[in-house]
Amino acid sequence: MAPPESVPAAAALGAFVAGSRWDAIPPALRHEAKRSLLNFLGCALGVSSDPAVAAAARVMARFSGGGRATVLGRPERLDEMGASFVNALAGNLLDYDDTHLETVIHPTAPVAPPLLALVEANGHTGAELLHAFVLGAEVECRIGCAVSPGHYDRGWHITSTAGVFGAAAGCARLLGLGAVRTAHALGIAASQSAGLVENLSTAAKNVGMGNAARNGLLAALLAREGYTAAPAAIEGPLGWARAMGDVPNQERIAGGLGRSWEFARNTYKPYPAGIVFHAVIDACLELRTKVASQNIVEVSVEGDQLLLDRGNRPVRTARDCRVSIHHAAAAALVRGAAGVEEFSASALNDPTIAALREKVRAGLDESLPRGAARVSLRCADGREFAALVTQARGSAGRPLADSELDTKFRENCASAGRGMEAGRWQEAIWGLEAEADPARLLRSMGRPAPA
Amino acid sequence: MAPPESVPAAAALGAFVAGSRWDAIPPALRHEAKRSLLNFLGCALGVSSDPAVAAAARVMARFSGGGRATVLGRPERLDEMGASFVNALAGNLLDYDDTHLETVIHPTAPVAPPLLALVEANGHTGAELLHAFVLGAEVECRIGCAVSPGHYDRGWHITSTAGVFGAAAGCARLLGLGAVRTAHALGIAASQSAGLVENLSTAAKNVGMGNAARNGLLAALLAREGYTAAPAAIEGPLGWARAMGDVPNQERIAGGLGRSWEFARNTYKPYPAGIVFHAVIDACLELRTKVASQNIVEVSVEGDQLLLDRGNRPVRTARDCRVSIHHAAAAALVRGAAGVEEFSASALNDPTIAALREKVRAGLDESLPRGAARVSLRCADGREFAALVTQARGSAGRPLADSELDTKFRENCASAGRGMEAGRWQEAIWGLEAEADPARLLRSMGRPAPA
């Protein structure tokens, strides 16, 4: 039964998180949690040598009270706060992670890192980790739903702003807080919620991600010490949602808790590019099997207004590549692939890709549904080819199979020079539910410090 | 000359902060900086044994990478991040610190702590500390002015939300960042700005204060490592001000930089109660010289609507006392004083004060100006007394003298059991401008760890 409307959001969520039983979590959701962690861990490992990750680890190392937690793929060991910051930032660095489509939240990156750190610092079983993660991600998505779509449209980077609640909820669970203290942790998280869309194309976005994880942990730790928050911190007249410009939909927060699961709707990205470009890439990969790129004289991409708004732009940096129709199409047609390498600086500067980018034209087809794309090619010899994709790989209607997530994980590990270990790690992640000591797995995902 | 409107706010402020010269800071402003630091240090020392401060220090101690910085009045030594968090939280804990009246920002608490920590960790002179502090506080107040009064009215705790910019600016200066990196630090701060009015009566407010200081430092440290932000992070269409609901007044941010100083308008609180109650307290302290409280049978307090909105409320906790007309009047009349002791739990439970609280009636007098109050007493023998205060002690028109700030500092030190050291500390603070090594002063403000 849904709590009555008069119950504050934080209290309803606190009771849900503290009272949840692992045996009441549906098997499909437990499995989704493992898929999400596999996907997140691969993404974070894959970018572990990125300069932005290295800089964050360097800064946090000076402010770390003991090496209790692994920084994924890196030699530093940091305290729970520092490891949460760096791992969250890394998991989402390339926007290659996961998406709750209704809210455009990337659910795992802010929530999983502090839980992984607590597992290493305090010792928890795999089932406890998965359970806390499911609950945290659920809280995050529900709070996001309550203020969508206005919240993001107004300039709030919802993965950061909602993520801090998810991190607080998951940490509260793993720390064993009761319902009341969990509610206070959520209210404290409300006073730490931040992150701006204006900053999305810069490193300041990464700071918002890291902070969501780190500050969510802090909220739970302070609530454990007796710190409190206002009962209506989330929905009150001077509280989180209204200050940010929304009248929150309370039913989306508290309705059907424990019965219906927003987190079950998580999806995974097959390509490290903006999600609106995925149908374009699918279509180009299909066309690549029929025509060699050197024969192409014109590429026409048609999609809905959102595709054009987000991706009809010049390309100057590798970051631009990930949000460019022209680059996505050209790279997929030239390389027959669309992995991390195809959106890197070397792909940006590949003369063959650059030449084909110049031949791409983007146009509107209002008849196409959201997320669909049509790509048409004209060859030097006059032949024409076209492909229409209405449901991109990885979308809700065409989810990535476990085997596809395995492949993505292996590729991410390989790009970090850890391909040899990928198989063992995969096996351990799929077996997390029965693992008594997942800290061993996490420790193995660091990197020995240079001698 | 004011920068042209086309210069982004962060760039204008970055150039101002990085380019400022100490010899161009007016002497009166240098003096105001010392007044602010004296006042802040006393407030933080005074509450150093408060359970909220102890809990924050306990949590931060586990996540501290070395004891490079003093926690004011406490035995823990923490890293710069942890000390910033605890000291900022302590300085503002009782709302006894300072106020920039137009914005209701308490300027010093979020800005000074990370600078004090950097002084201890890296070694800076007193003049460098004062200079960075003036610049940080100026940035904080200007950004607050640009979105006032709508920002606070909408639910944003402006001391936290604007404070993070001030902390970032001051730290950028002390770390020696150039104009461009300082601008990026401010843009990164925009993605960390948070804090809610809904939470003001709870410990979650303290978390917002601590985070403003701690995250401002982080913004500067990451900018030093090359982290960037969007040029229009503050004023852009999806940036800080607009996401929070305001079209910012850019002229208030960048107009007259280096010529006119918002921070010069800082004021200091003579009583640890909400600022709207100060005229009530002044009137009662004046009446106390004429009548003994046991003779009083009725107390009538009249003021403007703001006074009634903020303070016409029942009293259940010590926190309530600080925002209650009834308690403020009764305590001042009974004790002839209105210090920390008069707003403590023991004053709350003092039966004499409690009895007089019941005799206080509050009413509206629309003819009174903002901030004024009239208190009328009726005695058992029929005599009547009245006092009208139009400018409270500590208001802009009746600022606290240096000697009054000295007295407040000594009282705060005494309430922390450090009265013996107050004189030496005062002397050092007034002499900061010529001090080559202010770290010694700060270290002496800790407390030896128990043997």
Side-chain angles (χ1 to χ4, degrees):
Chain A
M1 202 181 70
E5 277 199 25
S6 58
V7 175
L13 293 170
F16 163 65
V17 167
S20 173
R21 281 170 38 208
W22 179 232
D23 58 16
I25 304 291
L29 201 66
R30 300 179 183 196
H31 188 69
E32 207 62 56
K34 287 180 271 183
R35 284 161 55 88
S36 295
L37 289 179
L38 178 75
N39 182 63
F40 161 78
L41 290 165
C43 289
L45 287 165
V47 298
S48 53
S49 299
D50 188 283
V53 178
R58 199 158 54 233
V59 168
M60 286 294 155
R62 183 166 162 84
F63 303 100
S64 172
R68 295 184 292 274
T70 299
V71 183
L72 294 163
R74 295 195 57 84
E76 299 90 353
R77 291 190 59 81
L78 299 177
D79 69 20
E80 299 89 311
M81 216 79 91
S84 295
F85 185 87
V86 182
N87 288 333
L89 175 159
N92 180 252
L93 189 73
L94 301 183
D95 285 312
Y96 190 21
D97 44 346
D98 52 0
T99 313
H100 177 264
L101 292 163
E102 179 185 344
T103 55
V104 205
I105 288 173
H106 308 296
T108 304
V111 177
L115 304 179
L116 300 176
L118 289 175
V119 161
E120 278 192 270
N122 301 344
H124 295 282
T125 68
E128 288 165 346
L129 165 64
L130 291 167
H131 193 189
F133 172 61
V134 163
L135 296 171
E138 181 67 17
V139 164
E140 170 189 38
C141 292
R142 280 173 170 260
I143 288 178
C145 286
V147 293
S148 288
H151 185 78
Y152 190 98
D153 292 346
R154 214 170 289 113
W156 295 109
H157 182 217
I158 192 167
T159 300
S160 297
T161 56
V164 69
F165 292 103
C171 291
R173 173 74 195 197
L174 221 43
L175 292 171
L177 305 193
V180 171
R181 292 198 166 181
T182 301
H184 284 307
L186 292 170
I188 295 167
S191 270
Q192 304 184 284
S193 172
L196 300 169
V197 174
E198 188 80 29
N199 269 333
L200 278 194
S201 65
T202 72
K205 171 243 200 181
N206 309 334
V207 181
M209 293 297 302
N211 270 348
R214 174 177 83 120
N215 288 332
L217 170 59
L218 179 60
L221 290 166
L222 288 169
R224 182 169 67 171
E225 295 283 341
Y227 267 50
T228 59
I234 294 174
E235 75 279 19
L238 298 170
W240 177 79
R242 283 182 170 80
M244 287 184 160
D246 273 294
V247 177
N249 182 337
Q250 293 272 84
E251 176 63 21
R252 295 301 301 271
I253 294 178
L257 275 169
R259 280 204 328 268
S260 69
W261 296 87
E262 274 305 323
F263 176 59
R265 300 163 69 196
N266 198 16
T267 66
Y268 309 92
K269 292 178 70 168
Y271 314 118
I275 205 159
V276 297
F277 308 104
H278 289 195
V280 177
I281 294 168
D282 284 341
C284 290
L285 291 175
E286 181 187 329
L287 291 167
R288 174 54 155 56
T289 65
K290 298 175 187 166
V291 57
S293 62
Q294 62 269 30
N295 296 331
I296 300 171
V297 293
E298 194 179 305
V299 182
S300 167
V301 176
E302 293 169 290
D304 64 7
Q305 192 61 50
L306 184 69
L307 175 67
L308 298 180
D309 289 348
R310 293 280 172 89
N312 196 6
R313 67 170 79 201
V315 170
R316 281 184 296 257
T317 69
R319 207 183 264 267
D320 293 336
C321 289
R322 298 203 296 274
V323 286
S324 161
I325 295 168
H326 304 72
H327 182 84
L333 287 166
V334 169
R335 301 271 182 94
V340 170
E341 170 56 26
E342 282 67 41
F343 294 90
S344 67
S346 80
L348 166 71
N349 299 317
D350 177 330
T352 313
I353 293 177
L356 191 53
R357 271 203 305 260
E358 297 299 314
K359 297 174 183 162
V360 176
R361 299 286 169 270
L364 178 67
D365 181 345
E366 285 179 337
S367 72
L368 288 177
R370 169 68 50 95
R374 180 187 299 108
V375 178
S376 312
L377 307 180
R378 202 160 52 76
C379 294
D381 59 12
R383 288 183 303 159
E384 296 192 351
F385 298 88
L388 170 69
V389 172
T390 52
Q391 286 194 321
R393 275 183 72 215
S395 65
R398 200 178 152 199
L400 292 196
D402 291 355
S403 62
E404 291 175 297
L405 287 170
D406 271 338
T407 302
K408 179 181 172 184
F409 181 80
R410 280 196 304 274
E411 287 174 358
N412 269 319
C413 290
S415 77
R418 305 295 289 268
M420 298 289 287
E421 294 153 285
R424 177 166 58 81
W425 286 340
Q426 267 167 254
E427 202 176 325
I429 294 163
W430 290 121
L432 264 179
E433 205 169 331
E435 174 61 58
D437 181 19
R440 283 184 306 177
L441 165 67
L442 297 170
R443 279 195 299 272
S444 77
M445 287 180 163
R447 191 186 283 273
Chain B
M1 201 183 70
E5 277 200 25
S6 59
V7 175
L13 294 171
F16 164 65
V17 168
S20 173
R21 283 169 37 206
W22 179 232
D23 58 17
I25 304 290
L29 201 67
R30 299 180 185 196
H31 188 69
E32 206 62 56
K34 287 179 270 183
R35 284 161 55 87
S36 295
L37 289 179
L38 177 76
N39 181 63
F40 161 78
L41 290 165
C43 289
L45 286 164
V47 298
S48 53
S49 298
D50 188 282
V53 178
R58 200 159 51 235
V59 168
M60 285 295 156
R62 184 166 161 83
F63 303 99
S64 172
R68 295 183 292 273
T70 299
V71 182
L72 293 163
R74 295 195 57 85
E76 299 91 353
R77 291 189 59 82
L78 299 177
D79 68 21
E80 299 89 310
M81 215 78 93
S84 296
F85 185 87
V86 182
N87 288 333
L89 175 159
N92 180 251
L93 190 72
L94 301 183
D95 285 312
Y96 189 21
D97 44 346
D98 53 359
T99 312
H100 177 264
L101 291 164
E102 178 185 344
T103 56
V104 205
I105 288 173
H106 307 296
T108 305
V111 177
L115 304 180
L116 300 176
L118 289 175
V119 161
E120 280 192 89
N122 301 342
H124 295 282
T125 67
E128 287 165 347
L129 165 63
L130 290 168
H131 193 188
F133 172 61
V134 163
L135 297 171
E138 181 67 17
V139 165
E140 171 190 37
C141 292
R142 281 173 170 260
I143 289 179
C145 286
V147 294
S148 288
H151 186 77
Y152 191 99
D153 292 345
R154 213 169 290 114
W156 294 109
H157 182 218
I158 193 167
T159 301
S160 297
T161 56
V164 68
F165 292 104
C171 291
R173 173 73 196 197
L174 221 43
L175 292 170
L177 304 194
V180 172
R181 290 197 169 181
T182 300
H184 284 308
L186 292 169
I188 294 168
S191 270
Q192 303 184 284
S193 172
L196 300 169
V197 174
E198 188 79 30
N199 270 333
L200 279 194
S201 66
T202 72
K205 171 246 202 179
N206 310 335
V207 181
M209 293 297 303
N211 270 349
R214 174 177 82 121
N215 287 333
L217 171 59
L218 179 60
L221 290 167
L222 289 168
R224 181 168 70 170
E225 295 283 342
Y227 267 50
T228 59
I234 294 174
E235 74 279 19
L238 298 170
W240 177 78
R242 283 181 169 79
M244 288 184 159
D246 275 294
V247 177
N249 182 337
Q250 292 274 84
E251 177 63 22
R252 295 302 300 272
I253 295 179
L257 275 169
R259 278 204 328 267
S260 67
W261 297 88
E262 274 305 321
F263 176 58
R265 300 165 68 197
N266 199 17
T267 66
Y268 308 92
K269 293 178 71 168
Y271 315 118
I275 205 159
V276 295
F277 307 105
H278 289 196
V280 176
I281 293 168
D282 284 340
C284 290
L285 291 176
E286 180 188 330
L287 291 167
R288 175 53 156 57
T289 63
K290 300 176 186 164
V291 57
S293 63
Q294 61 267 30
N295 295 332
I296 300 170
V297 293
E298 194 180 305
V299 181
S300 167
V301 176
E302 292 168 291
D304 64 6
Q305 192 60 52
L306 184 68
L307 175 68
L308 298 179
D309 289 348
R310 293 280 172 90
N312 196 4
R313 65 171 79 203
V315 170
R316 282 185 295 256
T317 69
R319 206 184 264 269
D320 292 336
C321 289
R322 297 203 297 275
V323 286
S324 161
I325 294 169
H326 305 71
H327 182 83
L333 287 167
V334 169
R335 300 274 182 94
V340 170
E341 170 57 26
E342 283 66 42
F343 294 91
S344 66
S346 78
L348 167 72
N349 298 318
D350 177 330
T352 313
I353 294 177
L356 191 54
R357 271 202 306 260
E358 297 300 312
K359 296 174 183 162
V360 177
R361 299 284 170 271
L364 177 68
D365 181 345
E366 285 180 339
S367 71
L368 289 177
R370 169 68 50 94
R374 181 188 298 107
V375 178
S376 313
L377 307 180
R378 200 159 53 76
C379 293
D381 59 13
R383 288 183 304 160
E384 296 193 349
F385 299 86
L388 170 67
V389 172
T390 52
Q391 286 194 321
R393 273 183 73 215
S395 65
R398 200 178 154 199
L400 292 196
D402 291 356
S403 62
E404 292 176 296
L405 287 171
D406 271 339
T407 303
K408 178 180 172 184
F409 181 80
R410 281 197 303 273
E411 288 174 358
N412 269 319
C413 290
S415 78
R418 305 295 288 271
M420 299 288 287
E421 294 153 286
R424 178 165 58 80
W425 286 342
Q426 267 168 251
E427 201 177 324
I429 294 163
W430 291 121
L432 265 178
E433 207 169 330
E435 173 60 57
D437 181 19
R440 282 184 308 178
L441 165 66
L442 297 170
R443 278 195 300 272
S444 76
M445 288 182 162
R447 192 186 282 274

mmCIF file of all heavy atoms in Angstrom, chain A residues 382-398:
data_model
loop_
_atom_site.group_PDB
_atom_site.id
_atom_site.type_symbol
_atom_site.label_atom_id
_atom_site.label_comp_id
_atom_site.label_asym_id
_atom_site.label_seq_id
_atom_site.Cartn_x
_atom_site.Cartn_y
_atom_site.Cartn_z
ATOM 1 N N GLY A 382 27.055 6.146 -58.220
ATOM 2 C CA GLY A 382 25.639 6.446 -58.380
ATOM 3 C C GLY A 382 24.708 5.593 -57.549
ATOM 4 O O GLY A 382 23.525 5.922 -57.402
ATOM 5 N N ARG A 383 25.233 4.492 -56.985
ATOM 6 C CA ARG A 383 24.361 3.637 -56.178
ATOM 7 C C ARG A 383 23.927 4.375 -54.912
ATOM 8 O O ARG A 383 24.638 5.218 -54.397
ATOM 9 C CB ARG A 383 25.081 2.346 -55.788
ATOM 10 C CG ARG A 383 25.276 1.372 -56.945
ATOM 11 C CD ARG A 383 25.930 0.086 -56.460
ATOM 12 N NE ARG A 383 27.206 0.356 -55.797
ATOM 13 C CZ ARG A 383 27.791 -0.476 -54.948
ATOM 14 N NH1 ARG A 383 27.214 -1.627 -54.625
ATOM 15 N NH2 ARG A 383 28.951 -0.171 -54.416
ATOM 16 N N GLU A 384 22.748 4.023 -54.400
ATOM 17 C CA GLU A 384 22.249 4.621 -53.166
ATOM 18 C C GLU A 384 21.844 3.523 -52.195
ATOM 19 O O GLU A 384 21.356 2.468 -52.610
ATOM 20 C CB GLU A 384 21.064 5.540 -53.454
ATOM 21 C CG GLU A 384 21.484 6.717 -54.325
ATOM 22 C CD GLU A 384 20.426 7.812 -54.410
ATOM 23 O OE1 GLU A 384 19.298 7.576 -53.924
ATOM 24 O OE2 GLU A 384 20.746 8.876 -54.958
ATOM 25 N N PHE A 385 22.051 3.782 -50.922
ATOM 26 C CA PHE A 385 21.687 2.837 -49.860
ATOM 27 C C PHE A 385 21.018 3.621 -48.740
ATOM 28 O O PHE A 385 21.340 4.792 -48.528
ATOM 29 C CB PHE A 385 22.941 2.152 -49.287
ATOM 30 C CG PHE A 385 23.705 1.344 -50.293
ATOM 31 C CD1 PHE A 385 24.687 1.940 -51.084
ATOM 32 C CD2 PHE A 385 23.435 -0.019 -50.455
ATOM 33 C CE1 PHE A 385 25.391 1.192 -52.016
ATOM 34 C CE2 PHE A 385 24.154 -0.770 -51.385
ATOM 35 C CZ PHE A 385 25.133 -0.157 -52.169
ATOM 36 N N ALA A 386 20.126 2.960 -48.050
ATOM 37 C CA ALA A 386 19.497 3.632 -46.906
ATOM 38 C C ALA A 386 19.190 2.608 -45.827
ATOM 39 O O ALA A 386 18.967 1.421 -46.108
ATOM 40 C CB ALA A 386 18.217 4.349 -47.333
ATOM 41 N N ALA A 387 19.208 3.065 -44.570
ATOM 42 C CA ALA A 387 18.824 2.215 -43.444
ATOM 43 C C ALA A 387 18.027 3.050 -42.451
ATOM 44 O O ALA A 387 18.367 4.198 -42.174
ATOM 45 C CB ALA A 387 20.065 1.632 -42.761
ATOM 46 N N LEU A 388 16.963 2.459 -41.958
ATOM 47 C CA LEU A 388 16.117 3.117 -40.958
ATOM 48 C C LEU A 388 16.183 2.314 -39.664
ATOM 49 O O LEU A 388 15.984 1.099 -39.682
ATOM 50 C CB LEU A 388 14.674 3.171 -41.467
ATOM 51 C CG LEU A 388 13.623 3.609 -40.433
ATOM 52 C CD1 LEU A 388 13.792 5.077 -40.070
ATOM 53 C CD2 LEU A 388 12.213 3.343 -40.965
ATOM 54 N N VAL A 389 16.474 2.987 -38.568
ATOM 55 C CA VAL A 389 16.481 2.327 -37.250
ATOM 56 C C VAL A 389 15.495 3.053 -36.348
ATOM 57 O O VAL A 389 15.632 4.258 -36.120
ATOM 58 C CB VAL A 389 17.892 2.356 -36.630
ATOM 59 C CG1 VAL A 389 17.849 1.841 -35.186
ATOM 60 C CG2 VAL A 389 18.854 1.518 -37.464
ATOM 61 N N THR A 390 14.493 2.341 -35.881
ATOM 62 C CA THR A 390 13.504 2.985 -35.006
ATOM 63 C C THR A 390 13.772 2.694 -33.535
ATOM 64 O O THR A 390 13.427 3.491 -32.676
ATOM 65 C CB THR A 390 12.071 2.532 -35.353
ATOM 66 O OG1 THR A 390 12.043 1.102 -35.378
ATOM 67 C CG2 THR A 390 11.654 3.064 -36.708
ATOM 68 N N GLN A 391 14.369 1.544 -33.269
ATOM 69 C CA GLN A 391 14.771 1.262 -31.884
ATOM 70 C C GLN A 391 16.250 0.962 -31.866
ATOM 71 O O GLN A 391 16.699 -0.071 -32.382
ATOM 72 C CB GLN A 391 13.994 0.061 -31.338
ATOM 73 C CG GLN A 391 12.540 0.405 -31.013
ATOM 74 C CD GLN A 391 11.891 -0.662 -30.162
ATOM 75 O OE1 GLN A 391 12.133 -1.847 -30.375
ATOM 76 N NE2 GLN A 391 11.069 -0.254 -29.211
ATOM 77 N N ALA A 392 17.004 1.873 -31.265
ATOM 78 C CA ALA A 392 18.455 1.703 -31.229
ATOM 79 C C ALA A 392 18.832 0.567 -30.296
ATOM 80 O O ALA A 392 18.099 0.242 -29.358
ATOM 81 C CB ALA A 392 19.114 2.998 -30.775
ATOM 82 N N ARG A 393 19.991 -0.013 -30.562
ATOM 83 C CA ARG A 393 20.558 -0.994 -29.621
ATOM 84 C C ARG A 393 20.689 -0.342 -28.250
ATOM 85 O O ARG A 393 21.136 0.801 -28.136
ATOM 86 C CB ARG A 393 21.959 -1.435 -30.058
ATOM 87 C CG ARG A 393 22.009 -2.559 -31.052
ATOM 88 C CD ARG A 393 23.482 -2.938 -31.332
ATOM 89 N NE ARG A 393 24.081 -3.628 -30.197
ATOM 90 C CZ ARG A 393 25.353 -3.500 -29.814
ATOM 91 N NH1 ARG A 393 26.169 -2.687 -30.459
ATOM 92 N NH2 ARG A 393 25.807 -4.162 -28.765
ATOM 93 N N GLY A 394 20.296 -1.077 -27.235
ATOM 94 C CA GLY A 394 20.430 -0.553 -25.876
ATOM 95 C C GLY A 394 19.241 0.257 -25.413
ATOM 96 O O GLY A 394 19.195 0.664 -24.251
ATOM 97 N N SER A 395 18.288 0.525 -26.300
ATOM 98 C CA SER A 395 17.093 1.249 -25.871
ATOM 99 C C SER A 395 16.183 0.304 -25.095
ATOM 100 O O SER A 395 16.420 -0.906 -25.048
ATOM 101 C CB SER A 395 16.363 1.828 -27.088
ATOM 102 O OG SER A 395 15.884 0.778 -27.907
ATOM 103 N N ALA A 396 15.142 0.873 -24.499
ATOM 104 C CA ALA A 396 14.263 0.060 -23.652
ATOM 105 C C ALA A 396 13.638 -1.098 -24.438
ATOM 106 O O ALA A 396 13.487 -2.200 -23.918
ATOM 107 C CB ALA A 396 13.168 0.935 -23.042
ATOM 108 N N GLY A 397 13.323 -0.858 -25.704
ATOM 109 C CA GLY A 397 12.688 -1.895 -26.509
ATOM 110 C C GLY A 397 13.680 -2.912 -27.067
ATOM 111 O O GLY A 397 13.279 -3.935 -27.621
ATOM 112 N N ARG A 398 14.957 -2.630 -26.949
ATOM 113 C CA ARG A 398 15.992 -3.507 -27.530
ATOM 114 C C ARG A 398 17.203 -3.531 -26.599
ATOM 115 O O ARG A 398 18.295 -3.105 -26.964
ATOM 116 C CB ARG A 398 16.376 -2.942 -28.901
ATOM 117 C CG ARG A 398 17.039 -3.924 -29.844
ATOM 118 C CD ARG A 398 17.312 -3.226 -31.176
ATOM 119 N NE ARG A 398 18.449 -3.792 -31.875
ATOM 120 C CZ ARG A 398 19.131 -3.184 -32.846
ATOM 121 N NH1 ARG A 398 18.798 -1.950 -33.226
ATOM 122 N NH2 ARG A 398 20.148 -3.771 -33.423
#
